[in-house]
Amino acid sequence: MEFGPQPELIESSLCRSIEQAGVRLTINIVRLATERGWSLEVVNEHGTSTVWDNLFPTDRDADAAFRDVLAQEGVEAFFGK
């Protein structure tokens, strides 16, 4: 089975890992080279991933969405269900 070329992913300079309240979170903000919208994923230290359904117009908008949830709900928002 052959697969075509993989689409190129553009990583935002806002990708990072942080530690808050003793919990490590990895923030992934990426887009396909052929697309304009940025996707946002937050992965906790146990590998549980939280992905936003919508794309963001800019990487800064995606980062702002992450910071809003963190400020309003705390790291618990990224523990998964």
Side-chain angles (χ1 to χ4, degrees):
M1 179 182 267
E2 280 191 44
F3 295 99
Q6 294 296 312
E8 181 185 354
L9 268 185
I10 309 284
E11 269 193 22
S12 167
S13 61
L14 298 172
C15 291
R16 64 198 181 279
S17 290
I18 65 166
E19 188 170 316
Q20 182 146 345
V23 177
R24 177 160 294 288
L25 299 173
T26 301
I27 299 92
N28 297 312
I29 301 172
V30 299
R31 70 175 176 86
L32 293 174
T34 57
E35 302 289 327
R36 291 180 183 250
W38 292 87
S39 68
L40 171 60
E41 174 192 40
V42 179
V43 182
N44 70 24
E45 58 197 6
H46 302 292
T48 303
S49 173
T50 302
V51 179
W52 274 245
D53 290 333
N54 56 316
L55 295 178
F56 297 90
T58 70
D59 56 347
R60 290 186 183 275
D61 291 330
D63 189 59
F66 160 71
R67 288 186 282 110
D68 286 347
V69 170
L70 186 62
Q72 292 173 18
E73 301 178 38
V75 294
E76 296 82 11
F78 305 107
F79 286 173
K81 307 293 183 244

